[in-house]
Amino acid sequence: MTQEPRLVEVRKNILKHNDVIARGLRERFREQGVFVVSLVSSPGSGKTAFLEKVLTLLSPHHHVAALVGDLATENDAERLARSGAPVRQITTGTVCHLEAAMVQDALESWNLGPLDFLFIENVGNLVCPSSYDLGEALRLVLTSVTEGEDKPLKYPTIFNSADVAVVTKMDLAHAVEFDEATAVANIRAVRPNMQIFKVSSKTGYGMEDLLNFLRSSRVGSTEVVVSSKRS
Ligand SMILES: Nc1nc2c(ncn2[C@@H]2O[C@H](COP(=O)(O)OP(=O)(O)OP(=O)(O)O)[C@@H](O)[C@H]2O)c(=O)[nH]1
Ligand SMILES: [Mg+2]
């Protein structure tokens, strides 16, 4: 009988451990009626710019908060905190993704009860984050027009691990000769029927559609708790 290499075994155990914590987080989020949305993308695709816009637009009507992961710096947390929403930075050191345990630690002593939405910005990376469940209800994969249309074909796993794709920086589409039809075809080649939104955080293009989608996804997933929060 062939033996599995030890590295594969260790990796399996890490992922199993992560899944157990993620399951606990998901249960906690569900019980507390907070709709958790995570964002994954390559570095610089516009996750923080997008979240700055989302937090600012949602906060007059909803209780929103964010966690943001980076290897180093508190820069993104500082940017997001300008929206007025509570924000915590997770610095991972050398780790190229967030893990459920990091999210759990960052949420310690945080009363999630009043929250409607919690957003989690993952470390900018198109590979590592795909394997780690964070207990989120919805995972968005962002891809910017400046990255080229072929990224879904080259990095299929991250598109497969996400629920919805968001094409960002649409205000730059013309300047970089972005081929929208090819980009959409490439996403759907990897993930047939994947829902795709096109946005610009700079101009606000497409944001209203996306916010409506987030609001309706939240209501669909937490109907009972949402109504009890409102009563
Ligand atoms: N023109 C334009 N620029 C954008 C848009 N969104 C983001 N940017 C710019 O793209 C750069 C990277 O944006 P960030 O929001 O920091 O990207 P990120 O994905 O959070 O980056 P990391 O956290 O480092 O992975 C910044 O210079 C932003 O100003 C957009 O919609 N239009
Ligand atoms: Mg960022």
Side-chain angles (χ1 to χ4, degrees), residues 80-146:
L80 294 174
R82 282 188 226 131
S83 66
V87 178
R88 287 187 186 171
Q89 178 84 44
I90 302 172
T91 44
T92 62
T94 55
V95 181
C96 55
H97 57 266
L98 289 179
E99 294 179 11
M102 298 175 190
V103 171
Q104 190 177 46
D105 289 350
L107 292 178
E108 214 189 310
S109 74
W110 196 335
N111 178 15
L112 300 178
L115 285 183
D116 297 319
F117 290 95
L118 172 68
F119 293 91
I120 305 176
E121 176 182 335
N122 214 315
V123 177
N125 190 300
L126 276 182
V127 183
C128 317
S130 35
S131 310
Y132 291 85
D133 184 3
L134 302 179
E136 67 273 67
L138 187 73
R139 183 177 291 195
L140 309 181
V141 58
L142 277 60
T143 181
S144 63
V145 299
T146 54

Side-chain angles (χ1 to χ4, degrees), residues 8-202:
V8 174
E9 196 54 45
V10 170
R11 192 172 144 74
K12 269 189 192 163
N13 288 338
I14 290 171
L15 289 178
K16 198 168 162 197
H17 178 65
N18 186 79
D19 283 348
V20 171
I21 298 174
R23 217 172 297 143
L25 282 174
R26 184 165 287 113
E27 185 61 17
R28 180 178 164 197
F29 296 148
R30 203 192 55 78
E31 278 170 9
Q32 300 198 281
V34 52
F35 189 65
V36 180
V37 182
S38 79
L39 285 78
V40 293
S41 82
S42 58
S45 295
K47 297 179 294 302
T48 308
F50 171 78
L51 265 190
E52 284 180 279
K53 201 85 183 171
V54 168
L55 293 177
T56 304
L57 292 169
L58 283 179
S59 54
H61 315 285
H62 297 277
H63 294 288
V64 294
L67 294 178
V68 50
D70 281 295
L71 269 68
T73 84
E74 301 259 331
N75 293 354
D76 282 4
E78 285 165 18
R79 283 169 61 189
L80 294 174
R82 282 188 226 131
S83 66
V87 178
R88 287 187 186 171
Q89 178 84 44
I90 302 172
T91 44
T92 62
T94 55
V95 181
C96 55
H97 57 266
L98 289 179
E99 294 179 11
M102 298 175 190
V103 171
Q104 190 177 46
D105 289 350
L107 292 178
E108 214 189 310
S109 74
W110 196 335
N111 178 15
L112 300 178
L115 285 183
D116 297 319
F117 290 95
L118 172 68
F119 293 91
I120 305 176
E121 176 182 335
N122 214 315
V123 177
N125 190 300
L126 276 182
V127 183
C128 317
S130 35
S131 310
Y132 291 85
D133 184 3
L134 302 179
E136 67 273 67
L138 187 73
R139 183 177 291 195
L140 309 181
V141 58
L142 277 60
T143 181
S144 63
V145 299
T146 54
E147 288 167 66
E149 301 82 5
D150 61 351
K151 293 304 162 292
L153 302 179
K154 289 183 177 174
Y155 300 91
T157 316
I158 197 102
F159 285 82
N160 271 317
S161 76
D163 301 293
V164 170
V166 183
V167 180
T168 60
K169 309 192 188 181
M170 283 301 290
D171 57 293
L172 300 177
H174 184 68
V176 297
E177 298 179 3
F178 176 66
D179 181 344
E180 192 176 314
T182 301
V184 168
N186 288 346
I187 292 170
R188 298 233 166 98
V190 168
R191 190 72 188 278
N193 304 321
M194 190 174 210
Q195 192 160 5
I196 303 169
F197 289 90
K198 287 162 258 168
V199 302
S200 165
S201 305
K202 200 179 173 94

